Amino acid sequence: MPTSPKRLRCAGRELDLQSPCVMGILNITPDSFSDGGQLWQGQPDRDRILRRAQDMVAAGAAILDVGGESTRPGAAAVASQEEIDRVLPVVEWLVAEVDAVVSVDTSNPHLMQQSVAAGAGMINDVRALQKEGTLAVAALVDVPVVLMHMQGQPGTMQQAPHYDDVVAEVCQWLQQRVSTCEAAGIARDRLLVDPGFGFGKSLSHNLSLLKHLQQLGAMGLPVLAGLSRKSMVGAVTGRALEQRLAGSLALALMAVQQGAHIVRVHDVSETVDALAMWQAMKEAR
Ligand code: 8Y7
């Protein structure tokens, strides 16, 4: 089984993936799925964003993931320039002020290019570089790229997700995307993979992917898992969005136990503590 790289070069920063990393979520949208526009006051709220970002980094986030397009099921599409106007200033503020890798959560090639030019150290694309122009931009820049699996499109993906063998199909699809990326000139050591929990998946699909996450790790690339506050927590616990912390911590722990290198979360401090306990246990005799 190929082993994944132990370090990732992200613009001027290095990520050590030998112990799990936490990626903190910064949603710069008026209508975010799980944190409802708190960083938005008609425009991105610089003070609130920087305070939230500094808190996340002080709590142990190694990466901050900034996004301006809501991909929640049924969300409306955002125009390209509007997304750039939302997100690019935030990338610039974070690069200047915050001691962390800045990841840009986008499928927009213009925003990818401009964000990396502004100092972003990672691209997180829920469409895995399938949009026109994104492969070419990703080949030209020199930062890691997260390739996430999604079945269908955000607006309709949860209507009737179907797989014969979800684990095998998600792994095969990501293998294909990795090959396409390599053929386009993106070095393999810049790629990460993510099964895309909740993106065109039923509860049982999500649970199978988590249970067998190690199969994704067998590709030999770092694995990212985004489970925080997702509907699978609601489905199992019956909890509303703001009451999904305990379920989300359990999922983060299970993900790293199954080989995830990076967990994408809303609640950084709590997740860092949970992972510290996991790490301590792991290092015991
Ligand atoms: C994921 C993600 C979201 C995920 C990666 C949410 C942007 C929905 N989920 N990116 N983005 N993986 N790589 O609930 O699971 O946070 S948005």
Side-chain angles (χ1 to χ4, degrees):
M1 175 170 138
T3 54
S4 68
K6 306 255 178 318
R7 308 194 135 258
L8 269 186
R9 278 190 312 107
C10 304
R13 297 175 183 275
E14 284 238 320
L15 276 184
D16 179 2
L17 299 181
Q18 293 184 91
S19 51
C21 286
V22 172
M23 170 188 264
I25 300 170
L26 286 172
N27 279 318
I28 315 300
T29 54
D31 60 346
S32 165
F33 159 67
S34 50
D35 47 16
Q38 291 166 37
L39 303 177
W40 183 267
Q41 298 294 316
Q43 57 184 356
D45 184 330
R46 183 179 189 273
D47 288 349
R48 283 196 205 186
I49 290 167
L50 284 178
R51 207 174 317 127
R52 174 84 65 85
Q54 307 278 20
D55 285 351
M56 284 180 166
V57 172
I63 312 165
L64 298 175
D65 192 39
V66 191
E69 182 208 23
S70 177
T71 41
R72 107 186 109 92
V78 58
S80 170
Q81 191 57 46
E82 188 181 341
E83 188 191 2
I84 293 169
D85 293 343
R86 277 182 192 177
V87 175
L88 190 59
V90 179
V91 168
E92 292 169 350
W93 301 332
L94 294 172
V95 167
E97 305 282 344
V98 179
D99 183 19
V101 171
V102 177
S103 162
V104 62
D105 153 23
T106 187
S107 302
N108 177 335
H110 309 289
L111 179 57
M112 287 177 186
Q113 194 270 323
Q114 292 175 52
S115 295
V116 174
M122 185 176 288
I123 292 169
N124 175 28
D125 185 4
V126 299
R127 296 178 182 80
L129 305 181
Q130 291 180 100
K131 272 213 171 165
E132 175 92 49
T134 56
L135 265 180
V137 166
L140 283 173
V141 300
D142 189 26
V143 301
V145 180
V146 180
L147 302 174
M148 197 197 79
H149 175 274
M150 166 161 46
Q151 184 180 84
Q153 297 298 320
T156 51
M157 65 191 177
Q158 289 305 103
Q159 283 172 13
H162 173 82
Y163 304 83
D164 291 323
D165 180 339
V166 65
V167 177
E169 288 170 42
V170 167
C171 286
Q172 279 162 20
W173 189 89
L174 286 168
Q175 288 273 17
Q176 268 297 329
R177 287 312 296 159
V178 168
S179 300
T180 301
C181 288
E182 288 188 272
I186 306 171
R188 192 179 175 85
D189 66 4
R190 280 207 284 133
L191 297 173
L192 299 87
V193 289
D194 181 336
F197 291 104
F199 285 83
K201 281 127 195 150
S202 68
L203 173 62
S204 67
H205 297 143
N206 288 319
L207 293 171
S208 293
L209 284 166
L210 181 58
K211 185 168 185 173
H212 302 286
L213 197 62
Q214 276 174 347
Q215 289 188 35
L216 223 142
M219 289 171 67
L221 297 176
V223 173
L224 189 149
L227 293 151
S228 185
R229 301 185 189 171
K230 282 192 176 171
S231 68
M232 62 189 289
V233 180
V236 171
T237 63
R239 302 281 183 192
L241 270 174
E242 59 280 7
Q243 294 172 342
R244 294 181 185 170
L245 174 59
S248 298
L249 293 174
L251 291 176
L253 282 172
M254 290 185 270
V256 302
Q257 182 72 36
Q258 303 301 327
H261 298 84
I262 301 175
V263 287
R264 181 180 180 277
V265 305
H266 300 86
D267 303 288
V268 171
S269 168
E270 293 86 347
T271 306
V272 166
D273 282 1
L275 296 185
M277 294 313 305
W278 178 85
Q279 187 73 30
M281 177 275 290
K282 192 178 162 223
E283 286 165 11
R285 292 170 15 111

